[in-house]
């Protein structure tokens, strides 16, 4: 999911509070559908440099840009936004506050077990690290990070964790990878996708957003049917009957039957979407070209949480 230049997302395990132990949904997503999902085609390229300047230390800029993922932490309810220049959260004054001191390009970002941060992407300019970070992990809400796997090999553009399994879209090689432990990976289907989402009740059902519509797998991502139907930029599957999607124009829709039919609930302010996540059946967070917005009524009305510059994503 992106402002439509793509880059990656991360690994995570865990369950949503009050979900009866069900695996928590994917989170966030990529940011770029430039000529494609935006015009019905996908452009899988690396992020270009963004400004990311200004600000006063951790407070950072007055607005963020190039958003690659959004998440709400299950323990403290704080919003975290992964960008081309680090991870930010709203400060006490409402301005973006940099988490930790890493200004890496966090292309992929999601939450794992116990609220663990899992991500992928590229190192900040000047930092001595491989161009592709593989899977990285933080157990202190983004203050420090460690390498998990595939360092130097993979840039994940989308990751979803469900059923004690991590499903990751490897944009470097154009394929779906699956891991039980975040270390050893199985290569599954080759595909060209922007975002993926896994059913919270059926480990075999994996959806992918493509330029021709949503592509479906019923065997855990080993094979995918051709994309068809509604073209979505990003998907997030919070609960069995609450699969949310946002199209390239920012229209929010929900599906109660796993993406076979859709009901539009509203339109996110600010134009082109850059990332999407659902906390539960009603609470949805979406990043667009001019802000990060939150809805508590399934996408009918939104409140701005952070300002975003219109530089686009990824």
């Amino acid at each position: 999911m992106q402002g439509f230049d793509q880059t990656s997302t991360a690994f995570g395990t865990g369950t949503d509070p009050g979900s009866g132990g069900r695996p928590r949904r994917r989170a966030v997503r990529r940011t770029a559908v430039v000529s494609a999902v935006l015009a019905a085609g996908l452009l899988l390229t690396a992020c270009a440099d963004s400004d990311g300047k200004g600000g006063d230390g951790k407070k950072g800029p007055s607005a963020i840009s190039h958003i690659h993922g959004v998440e709400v932490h299950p323990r403290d309810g704080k919003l975290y936004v992964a960008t081309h220049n680090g991870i930010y959260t709203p400060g006490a004054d409402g301005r973006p506050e940099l988490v930790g001191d890493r200004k890496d390009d966090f292309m992929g970002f999601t939450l794992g077990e116990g609220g663990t941060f899992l991500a992928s992407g590229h190192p900040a300019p000047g930092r001595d690290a491989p161009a592709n970070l593989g899977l990285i992990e933080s157990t202190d809400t983004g203050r420090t990070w460690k390498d998990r796997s595939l360092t130097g090999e993979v840039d994940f553009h989308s990751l979803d964790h469900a059923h004690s399994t991590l499903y990751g879209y490897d944009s470097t090689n154009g394929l779906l990878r699956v891991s039980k432990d975040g270390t050893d990976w199985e290569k599954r289907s080759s595909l060209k996708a922007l975002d993926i989402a896994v059913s919270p009740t059926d480990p075999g059902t994996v959806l992918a957003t493509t330029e021709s519509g949503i592509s479906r797998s019923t065997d855990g991502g080993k094979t995918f049917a051709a994309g068809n139907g509604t073209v979505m930029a990003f998907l997030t599957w919070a609960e069995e009957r609450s699969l949310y999607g946002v199209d390239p124009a920012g229209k929010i829709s929900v599906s109660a039957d796993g993406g076979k039919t859709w009901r539009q609930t509203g339109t996110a302010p600010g134009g082109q979407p850059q990332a999407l996540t659902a906390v539960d059946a009603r609470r949805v967070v979406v990043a667009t070209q001019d802000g990060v917005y939150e809805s508590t009524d399934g996408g009918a009305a939104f409140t701005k949480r952070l300002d975003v510059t219109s530089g686009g994503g990824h």
Side-chain angles (χ1 to χ4, degrees):
M1 314 164 156
Q2 307 31 244
F4 295 107
D5 149 347
Q6 312 177 239
T7 346
S8 111
T9 65
F11 160 137
T13 65
T15 59
D16 280 325
S19 67
R22 287 197 305 274
R24 74 182 298 292
R25 66 4 274 189
R26 202 246 82 170
V28 127
R29 277 164 204 17
R30 232 58 276 352
T31 322
V33 184
V34 188
S35 72
V37 169
L38 246 201
L42 284 157
L43 177 65
L44 298 171
T45 62
C47 243
D49 285 341
S50 66
D51 49 272
K53 295 183 180 180
D56 50 345
K58 283 180 70 70
K59 285 296 179 184
S62 59
I64 52 180
S65 66
H66 290 77
I67 295 175
H68 303 171
V70 289
E71 281 290 358
V72 176
H73 202 280
R75 287 201 303 266
D76 58 15
K78 289 183 71 172
L79 171 67
Y80 292 91
V81 182
T83 79
H84 184 81
N85 296 99
I87 293 177
Y88 291 83
T89 189
D93 59 0
R95 290 181 56 184
E97 182 175 300
L98 181 66
V99 176
D101 59 4
R102 289 249 307 240
K103 288 194 173 184
D104 289 343
D105 179 8
F106 287 93
M107 293 306 302
F109 176 56
T110 195
L111 298 182
E113 185 174 5
T116 295
F117 284 7
L118 293 130
S120 189
H122 315 285
R127 191 167 79 79
D128 184 16
N132 291 328
L133 296 179
L135 180 67
I136 58 176
E137 176 187 59
S138 172
T139 57
D140 54 10
T141 60
R143 289 165 181 78
T144 61
W145 293 84
K146 68 178 181 180
D147 297 336
R148 281 295 303 273
S149 58
L150 300 176
T151 304
E153 300 177 39
V154 169
D155 170 22
F156 285 110
H157 276 196
S158 182
L159 287 171
D160 199 359
H161 188 273
H163 317 291
S164 300
T165 302
L166 175 63
Y167 303 72
Y169 179 65
D170 170 2
S171 67
T172 308
N173 301 290
L175 57 83
L176 186 75
R177 291 177 182 260
V178 173
S179 176
K180 285 288 187 181
D181 58 7
T183 300
D184 297 316
W185 295 83
E186 176 188 343
K187 296 179 181 179
R188 294 200 175 171
S189 181
S190 295
L191 73 162
K192 186 177 182 180
L194 180 62
D195 195 19
I196 60 170
V198 182
S199 165
T201 58
D202 176 11
T205 300
V206 184
L207 306 181
T209 60
T210 76
E211 62 184 22
S212 58
I214 296 173
S215 179
R216 181 183 302 271
S217 172
T218 58
D219 56 11
K222 294 176 182 176
T223 60
F224 280 86
N228 64 79
T230 303
V231 173
M232 293 289 183
F234 306 113
L235 299 172
T236 178
W237 210 334
E239 298 179 6
E240 181 181 7
R241 297 179 63 80
S242 299
L243 168 65
Y244 279 94
V246 60
D247 75 4
K251 293 178 181 177
I252 304 290
S253 297
V254 64
S255 174
D257 56 13
K260 295 174 181 150
T261 61
W262 295 88
R263 174 177 61 85
Q264 186 178 335
T265 61
T267 300
Q272 180 179 301
Q274 299 189 49
L276 175 73
T277 194
V279 179
D280 54 36
R282 303 285 291 171
R283 189 178 178 190
V284 181
V285 179
V286 59
T288 64
Q289 286 179 297
D290 80 352
V292 178
Y293 293 89
E294 181 174 357
S295 173
T296 57
D297 58 7
F302 286 89
T303 299
K304 182 180 276 191
R305 297 292 308 278
L306 284 174
D307 286 326
V308 174
T309 62
S310 59
H314 318 53

